[in-house]
Amino acid sequence: MGKPLFDSLEIRQFRAFDYIKIDQLGHINLFLGKNNVGKSTLLEALCLHANLGSPQTIQWILDGRDEPGEVRHGNTADPTVWSLFHGHPALERITESIQIGRVGAPDSALSLSIAWLRKTSDMDASGGFGDGSGYGGGVQPGQQYVEVGPPEATDGEGPIPALIVKYGSMRRVLRLDEAFDDLCRRWNLQTRSHRDLATPCVHVGPGGLDDAGLRSLWEKVVLTDAKMDVIDAMRIIAPETEDFALLHLHERVSSLRLRVKDREDSVPIKTMGDGMNRLFGLGMALACAKGGILLVDEIENGIHWSVLPEVWKFVVKVAKRLEVQVFATTHSNDCLKAFQMGTKGDPDVDGVAVRIEKKNGEFSAEIFDEKRLAVIVKEAIEIR
Amino acid sequence: MMVNRLIFEGPDDKHVVMNLLFNHEHNGERLCEHFSEKVKDGVDHLIDTLNEELKATDLGRLGVVLDADTDLAKQWARGTRVLDEHGCRAVPAAPNADGTIVETNDSKKIGIWVMPDNKSAGALEDFVGKLIAEGDTLWPKAQADVNGIPQADRRFKETYLSKAQIHTWLAWQEEPGTRMGETFKKKYLDPNHPQATAFVNWIRRLLA
């Protein structure tokens, strides 16, 4: 397997993290750590990076934490984008940028920062704003907005806040006085060269895929070889599984059905228990993350401990074939053991467990490579 | 949940120590109930895995029971190098005769006891030998008989001499074949013997 997309990870000023550095990552990664230490936030950061800071991803992150990405014009309500920034500062006090990238590789970093814009038409004849903003010109022909400093007073028609998203040569300005839907629509109109910078990324939450996620993945899997991987995933606990399909029962109501050996009618997967749903979601997500990254929060959810080693072996096998770098979180010791068993077998696939800790206000990441994991599992040492 | 842990080179060490601790109390509970125990596959294995054991996230206090074998200083250096690397504070150059206790940089207590008594060469069997009551008539005889076996007839290596002696002595007790760990229960050995008390006090200091 080639070098993983993220061989390390460094995050600045993103949500809970003022700074965290993970020096080593492998092809298959398992994040451990106490509740609320930021494991899911790491997945969010990776997802944001893979999607180059798209407004869709920002909205997904904010929605996931009940912080709807709603922005209203003027100063009637603060845009919630500020809650992406560490410490949740008021928008006008955000000075540092969010940085997500590989360790010691500034070129690999995705950067999000806040800027303040004014319409060039508001400028006076001298090329300044005549309001003490100190802006002194330098406007390009056709330029509608220029960057100014943050507003001094919160009332009145102040400058417009914007999120500046930078990655490599890409620089996008998301005006925060616009509706997110508009931002999303405009984002999708970006140039091909910028779109190609994005990495395929599929996220599976603790509860599995939601219906919308399921429908979008189904379209990528149907009539492809990847469908067989999804069937293989389900066969780990239900060997009688033969095929599956997403059936549209009524308008906007779909049901995932399985064909099972020796049964004439199809079976709704939802009747087959949490484990089947989990494995189905994992299989679908993995198949759709080809060449990119798969993010799975609380991967052990719904799966009996005794099949976890098989699940990891499946993940390793398919991830290797499809060149997918996997990041999962867990609270379970059985899952860690199974991870060790599942990753040790293939010398080409590098498995790394990372424990995230917060001590004296600082985040740290302890790396457990396969050699350390072998000792830890054999000696039954607690590392969570 | 934090766990106090005792780590041993092998099963015999564990049985003797845990049975000894069964006979003593701390805060209204038997001392052995304050610890979970872990048995390693020899001293090399113990030292090779000690680094990870020290980092266990559930670790409360850790007690390490080693044999001095033929070279106390060498064994001490091997064990304490791991403690130094882990960032333990004030690790002494030689073991404390009462059993050593150091602290990690996050203030966890780590105890090291080198069998038999933190100052002599030897192993668990020498520790058990020292617990035999003064005036026991069979012990000098068992030692003398084993010592009297001509070199050519000895099937055990020199370092196992005290092992051969203690098992000879055990073979002459009321129930021959009794294992070392069961000697307290069967009252062949006194768990309050001063040598035993020194070990128990080290355990108490580790818990304090």
Side-chain angles (χ1 to χ4, degrees), chain A residues 78-121:
Chain A
D78 279 327
T80 49
V81 167
W82 51 287
S83 71
L84 291 178
F85 288 79
H86 176 67
H88 297 207
L91 211 51
E92 53 272 20
R93 283 209 293 278
I94 296 175
T95 51
E96 294 185 74
S97 59
I98 294 171
Q99 305 265 351
I100 302 165
R102 300 200 310 274
V103 175
D107 291 352
S108 75
L110 172 78
S111 146
L112 280 74
S113 55
I114 297 293
W116 297 85
L117 310 176
R118 280 217 163 170
K119 276 192 174 158
T120 49
S121 57

Side-chain angles (χ1 to χ4, degrees), chain A residues 355 366 372 376 378-384, chain B residues 38 40 45 49 52-53 55-58 106:
Chain A
R355 182 178 68 232
E366 175 103 15
R372 278 190 81 181
I376 274 143
K378 181 161 178 280
E379 304 299 315
I381 295 170
E382 182 63 79
I383 63 165
R384 289 171 302 166
Chain B
K38 223 163 190 184
K40 300 289 181 174
H45 183 220
T49 57
E52 297 294 358
E53 295 285 359
K55 289 180 181 169
T57 50
D58 64 345
D106 51 356

Side-chain angles (χ1 to χ4, degrees), chain A residues 379, chain B residues 6-11 14 37-41 45:
Chain A
E379 304 299 315
Chain B
L6 290 175
I7 301 188
F8 303 99
E9 282 186 21
K14 182 194 97 170
E37 72 268 6
K38 223 163 190 184
V39 177
K40 300 289 181 174
D41 189 14
H45 183 220

Side-chain angles (χ1 to χ4, degrees), chain A residues 52 109-113 164-172:
Chain A
L52 306 179
L110 172 78
S111 146
L112 280 74
S113 55
I164 310 289
V165 181
K166 283 190 270 190
Y167 177 74
S169 64
M170 184 194 89
R171 184 177 186 277
R172 302 288 305 249

Side-chain angles (χ1 to χ4, degrees), chain A residues 83-347:
Chain A
S83 71
L84 291 178
F85 288 79
H86 176 67
H88 297 207
L91 211 51
E92 53 272 20
R93 283 209 293 278
I94 296 175
T95 51
E96 294 185 74
S97 59
I98 294 171
Q99 305 265 351
I100 302 165
R102 300 200 310 274
V103 175
D107 291 352
S108 75
L110 172 78
S111 146
L112 280 74
S113 55
I114 297 293
W116 297 85
L117 310 176
R118 280 217 163 170
K119 276 192 174 158
T120 49
S121 57
D122 294 343
M123 293 172 112
D124 58 29
S126 71
F129 290 111
D131 60 355
S133 68
Y135 189 77
V139 181
Q140 304 294 322
Q143 187 177 345
Q144 277 190 301
Y145 290 93
V146 288
E147 282 185 33
V148 296
E152 302 255 320
T154 50
D155 56 347
E157 188 72 20
I160 299 158
L163 187 68
I164 310 289
V165 181
K166 283 190 270 190
Y167 177 74
S169 64
M170 184 194 89
R171 184 177 186 277
R172 302 288 305 249
V173 178
L174 304 178
R175 273 175 46 192
L176 297 178
D177 61 334
E178 288 189 275
F180 248 91
D181 287 350
D182 294 334
L183 294 176
C184 293
R185 204 166 50 242
R186 197 159 319 125
W187 183 271
N188 291 338
L189 299 173
Q190 64 187 314
T191 61
R192 180 78 192 267
S193 63
H194 283 166
R195 218 179 306 144
D196 288 348
L197 291 172
T199 305
C201 169
V202 184
H203 179 275
V204 186
L209 293 173
D210 57 19
D211 283 352
L214 174 63
R215 273 194 298 275
S216 74
L217 295 187
W218 163 251
E219 285 165 20
K220 292 184 191 168
V221 163
V222 69
L223 303 178
T224 72
D225 290 347
K227 199 175 176 200
M228 205 54 222
D229 289 327
V230 183
I231 294 170
D232 279 348
M234 289 188 282
R235 281 181 179 163
I236 293 173
I237 55 175
E240 65 276 18
T241 306
E242 288 190 334
D243 200 358
F244 71 96
L246 192 70
L247 305 183
H248 295 276
L249 302 178
H250 317 286
E251 196 184 354
R252 301 180 73 85
V253 178
S254 43
S255 165
L256 189 90
R257 301 288 182 130
L258 297 185
R259 202 178 80 202
V260 176
K261 199 176 169 199
D262 299 332
R263 270 189 74 157
E264 283 197 7
D265 53 338
S266 68
V267 186
I269 190 171
K270 284 198 174 152
T271 64
M272 296 196 66
D274 292 344
M276 273 299 267
N277 279 287
R278 191 65 172 162
L279 288 171
F280 173 75
L282 261 181
M284 288 284 274
L286 197 48
C288 295
K290 188 176 178 180
I293 60 176
L294 169 68
L295 311 167
V296 190
D297 214 354
E298 298 180 22
I299 189 167
E300 75 279 11
N301 279 4
I303 303 176
H304 192 259
W305 62 268
S306 62
V307 296
L308 282 168
E310 283 310 307
V311 172
W312 277 116
K313 276 181 204 158
F314 166 80
V315 169
V316 167
K317 188 180 81 182
V318 180
K320 181 182 179 184
R321 184 159 42 78
L322 301 179
E323 295 278 337
V324 179
Q325 189 177 16
V326 178
F327 300 88
T329 75
T330 189
H331 286 127
S332 142
N333 213 12
D334 290 323
C335 183
L336 177 71
K337 269 196 258 176
F339 174 80
Q340 191 268 333
M341 290 164 75
T343 52
K344 73 176 175 185
D346 192 331

